Amino acid sequence: MTWFHNIPAVFLEYQKYVPHLWGLGGGVLAYYLLSGLFSYLSILRQVRGLPVKHSFFPSYEQGLRARVPHIPYILPIKDYYSRPEWDRFEKPRSDLLAYTCATQHRAIYWTANPYTAQHVFTKTSTFAKAEFMPRYTSSAKFGMQIISVADGAEHKRHKSVVRGCFGEEIFKKAWEEMDATVDLMLEQEDMVNGGVMKDVGASTIKVTYIVIGKVGFGHTIPWVTPRSKSGEKMSFVESYEIIDRTVLYQFMLPGWLMRIIPTKELRRMGQAQREFIGYCYEMARNKRAELATLKEAGEKSKPPTDLLGAMVHAQVVAEEEARQSPESSAPLVGLKEDEVIGNMCEAGHETTGHTLAFTLAQLALHPAWQDECYKEIKEVCGDEAPSYRDVHKLALCLAVGLEAMRLTDIVRQLFKVAKEDTMLPYTTWNEAGEVINHEHLVKAGSLVYVDTPASQLNPFHWTDANTFNPRRHLSGDDARASLNNAQTPFVAFSMGPRQCIGRRFAEVEMIAFVASVLSRYTIHPVPAYEGESMQSIKARMLDSAVEDLTMTPGLFSVRFEKRV
């Protein structure tokens, strides 16, 4: 016990340094507080001249802001989000708002101007991907992917491989699988001869989930997922379904935490994550081995028609070309194995599934547009069922989906970080509605958020902004000449080099779904009670949506009636 008796002596020997340590600690704390204060004052100067809101903690991330209470100046959730979405810009009469956050040393801007959004997305020399944001760093647990990597060489490397996988064969298969899955839905929900789709959002998300399971991973997904017992190994289908259902928790919580938290549901989520990633690696390696076997047999392999297989094939081809090139000393070509898996785990279907739910809602509320689409289908397809060969001619079937997305945008915000000081265009207006153009100096390091729903409901850029009018997405003398409105930028899929790489895939799914349904059925709202007004029905179908990682439909039903 000698060492124990020596402790007080050692402590007393160093007693003379205690005041100095307190002074040092106080100095560090004072420096931290003063530097934070001066930084905050600097940000206040940067945002001068704009409508400004203040907070202590950041509360603008979708998914989180729907789960925490509104506390003014601390967590002012309502300052970052409103419904109708245009309201928070309309009241200050400015389509550019500024926010300060005491715990973040940067100015934060929100814009609802589609042309400002276009400027931010396409001016890559000035605005960059904010890959340091938690949503991107969290997703890297599955492997780096095209959405989260930094701009420049890294993004180009991912894009060159992923874009090459989205060919006509993949799009054709997406159409065929969507067509087959709609038939499966009708059979499983007992709606082949007409009937009520009781939970539209749940049904459409299941449809796109099944399609991406087949086209993305090459797995046939049943309508009802079989469950394993506790302690048993999950099937790919079950692990995939749990990952899909709990995606917010998968991103937010580290895997080790889900293993030790004594909650059965969280442990099951962790098990699903481990087994799903394991299945992905196994499938990728099996595909690589299959391609190697074909090569040894002297057979030329065609790109597989599932996205995972296509990515592995693209990687094998890139490696082979590099070996035959005199510049093969390059450290990396194509994508690493974990990057292939990361890109597959990012292959989303939720946005398309929810868009289809809102499309059915809008069509049920606007039967005249059903008639317009049916007329287009009959003109293009005659008495035959719509097929992929008709995809470029069914413009209105896509336009109804785009218009449903414009009115209820699924992805709530997109953002960039300023790489250098730059001028950002914006507008204000007076009581008479006269618009005044301005520019605001945005300092390097500032975050610029594009409020996509508000941008697409901006009445100064969209005529009758709150009216469902799919033809606004068709331009040119021939309505089928273009699927992009020539006058107003449509920001839902982003723009520029970081535009959603799966956009065309999602569009093919939308066209196939709408054409398959409307060629055989008419769609009608289902009143909650006898005599319910159309205004009340519309509110239930559209305004009941809640914000999660994406805009999620509330519970509503529609009735399918078989065409005679």
Side-chain angles (χ1 to χ4, degrees):
M1 300 293 290
T2 307
W3 60 272
F4 181 78
H5 294 293
N6 288 338
I7 290 177
V10 172
F11 181 76
L12 291 172
E13 183 181 347
Y14 289 96
Q15 279 280 357
K16 58 184 178 181
Y17 296 114
V18 171
H20 302 288
L21 292 174
W22 278 108
L24 179 62
V28 170
L29 180 61
Y31 172 80
Y32 177 78
L33 293 174
L34 286 173
S35 62
L37 176 62
F38 286 127
S39 173
Y40 192 70
L41 292 174
S42 173
I43 292 169
L44 289 177
R45 286 194 297 271
Q46 291 177 38
V47 300
R48 228 170 4 198
L50 292 173
V52 184
K53 295 286 187 179
H54 308 281
S55 70
F56 190 80
F57 294 111
S59 52
Y60 41 78
E61 279 285 9
Q62 61 195 57
L64 293 179
R65 64 186 183 185
R67 289 172 165 80
V68 294
H70 173 80
I71 307 174
Y73 298 103
I74 306 298
L75 281 170
I77 305 303
K78 294 178 182 177
D79 291 342
Y80 288 95
Y81 173 60
S82 66
R83 291 196 74 195
E85 290 84 351
W86 176 247
D87 277 7
R88 70 186 179 114
F89 296 91
E90 183 177 39
K91 290 173 182 176
R93 296 185 191 144
S94 173
D95 58 26
L96 183 66
L97 308 178
Y99 292 80
T100 67
C101 180
T103 53
Q104 293 209 335
H105 303 301
R106 64 178 82 239
I108 302 163
Y109 300 93
W110 287 73
T111 179
N113 186 321
Y115 288 96
T116 302
Q118 185 180 52
H119 174 85
V120 170
F121 290 144
T122 57
K123 200 168 183 181
T124 55
S125 61
T126 306
F127 296 98
K129 186 80 175 182
E131 77 275 5
F132 54 83
M133 294 294 284
R135 64 171 67 183
Y136 300 130
T137 55
S138 296
S139 65
K141 69 168 66 175
F142 296 103
M144 292 300 290
Q145 75 290 121
I146 190 170
I147 291 180
S148 61
V149 294
D151 289 334
E154 277 294 282
H155 179 249
K156 288 178 181 177
R157 181 167 62 85
H158 281 256
K159 189 174 182 179
S160 65
V161 174
V162 178
R163 182 172 54 188
C165 297
F166 284 103
E168 285 299 303
E169 285 300 316
I170 291 289
F171 295 145
K172 184 173 183 289
K173 187 169 184 178
W175 181 292
E176 291 169 352
E177 292 302 328
M178 175 58 78
D179 205 31
T181 305
V182 169
D183 288 342
L184 177 66
M185 174 192 75
L186 295 169
E187 179 186 337
Q188 292 291 321
E189 297 294 311
D190 194 22
M191 293 166 49
V192 173
N193 295 313
V196 174
M197 182 185 286
K198 296 178 181 177
D199 187 345
V200 174
S203 295
T204 55
I205 199 72
K206 191 175 289 190
V207 165
T208 53
Y209 156 77
I210 290 173
V211 171
I212 200 66
K214 185 67 173 180
V215 183
F217 297 96
H219 271 262
T220 299
I221 310 295
W223 190 255
V224 178
T225 302
R227 301 291 180 193
S228 63
K229 295 180 181 178
S230 178
E232 292 181 344
K233 183 178 176 63
M234 293 180 183
S235 65
F236 169 81
V237 170
E238 185 181 9
S239 64
Y240 171 45
E241 187 271 338
I242 292 175
I243 287 282
D244 178 73
R245 179 168 47 83
T246 63
V247 65
L248 179 64
Y249 297 98
Q250 299 292 343
F251 281 150
M252 286 177 57
L253 301 177
W256 62 265
L257 186 61
M258 287 191 282
R259 285 195 295 270
I260 65 172
I261 290 180
T263 303
K264 182 179 178 181
E265 184 63 22
L266 280 173
R267 287 201 303 270
R268 198 158 178 79
M269 290 180 203
Q271 180 188 357
Q273 182 186 120
R274 294 190 301 277
E275 296 190 5
F276 174 72
I277 293 175
Y279 280 120
C280 288
Y281 275 99
E282 181 183 346
M283 288 187 288
R285 289 166 185 169
N286 288 343
K287 184 61 67 174
R288 178 178 277 270
E290 179 186 325
L291 295 172
T293 302
L294 287 173
K295 183 184 176 185
E296 289 175 5
E299 297 181 31
K300 187 175 181 180
S301 60
K302 293 182 179 179
T305 54
D306 62 282
L307 286 172
L308 178 59
M311 267 195 257
V312 173
H313 179 270
Q315 176 63 18
V316 170
V317 170
E319 291 171 3
E320 182 63 29
E321 290 176 350
R323 280 192 291 270
Q324 296 173 2
S325 169
E327 299 178 359
S328 59
S329 59
L332 176 66
V333 295
L335 300 178
K336 293 183 288 187
E337 185 178 52
D338 65 318
E339 292 172 336
V340 171
I341 303 306
N343 278 291
M344 279 311 304
C345 291
E346 202 64 39
H349 67 91
E350 186 176 278
T351 50
T352 308
H354 290 165
T355 297
L356 293 179
F358 292 120
T359 301
L360 286 178
Q362 293 287 4
L363 287 170
L365 293 167
H366 301 92
W369 286 107
Q370 294 185 52
D371 296 339
E372 289 287 311
C373 287
Y374 182 68
K375 179 181 176 182
E376 177 185 74
I377 293 167
K378 297 302 288 184
E379 287 177 355
V380 171
C381 307
D383 294 330
E384 295 184 9
S387 66
Y388 183 67
R389 67 173 178 270
D390 307 313
V391 68
H392 299 293
K393 300 175 185 177
L394 296 171
L396 193 58
C397 289
L398 172 58
V400 294
L402 295 179
E403 182 68 347
M405 183 186 293
R406 184 189 70 82
L407 287 168
T408 312
D409 194 11
I410 308 304
V411 178
R412 311 301 288 169
Q413 59 197 33
L414 299 166
F415 53 88
K416 296 282 188 179
V417 61
K419 295 161 63 175
E420 58 187 37
D421 294 359
T422 185
M423 301 302 292
L424 195 65
Y426 73 102
T427 61
T428 60
W429 52 94
N430 58 25
E431 289 185 9
E434 297 171 330
V435 175
I436 306 118
N437 294 311
H438 305 271
E439 285 188 327
H440 180 81
L441 176 62
V442 171
K443 304 288 285 185
S446 300
L447 282 173
V448 180
Y449 278 78
V450 174
D451 189 317
T452 51
S455 295
Q456 291 165 183
L457 294 171
N458 187 325
F460 296 100
H461 297 286
W462 295 93
T463 305
D464 296 326
N466 294 309
T467 300
F468 182 74
N469 177 18
R471 290 202 182 277
R472 71 172 82 241
H473 299 281
L474 307 177
S475 61
D477 296 332
D478 178 357
R480 297 181 180 85
S482 172
L483 295 175
N484 297 306
N485 185 284
Q487 284 72 45
T488 306
F490 187 60
V491 303
F493 289 98
S494 189
M495 298 176 190
R498 303 295 303 228
Q499 185 181 66
C500 175
I501 201 162
R503 173 176 181 169
R504 186 56 185 163
F505 187 93
E507 290 178 342
V508 169
E509 287 184 292
M510 283 193 274
I511 299 168
F513 181 86
V514 171
S516 180
V517 170
L518 291 185
S519 64
R520 293 178 280 176
Y521 303 91
T522 56
I523 310 163
H524 307 271
V526 177
Y529 52 87
E530 187 176 351
E532 184 182 18
S533 68
M534 283 304 297
Q535 184 177 1
S536 173
I537 292 173
K538 181 178 179 181
R540 276 195 307 104
M541 296 175 78
L542 299 175
D543 298 339
S544 62
V546 294
E547 185 187 83
D548 204 306
L549 278 179
T550 59
M551 200 64 174
T552 304
L555 178 63
F556 69 91
S557 305
V558 295
R559 187 177 77 258
F560 281 31
E561 286 189 5
K562 198 169 180 67
R563 293 184 185 272
V564 180

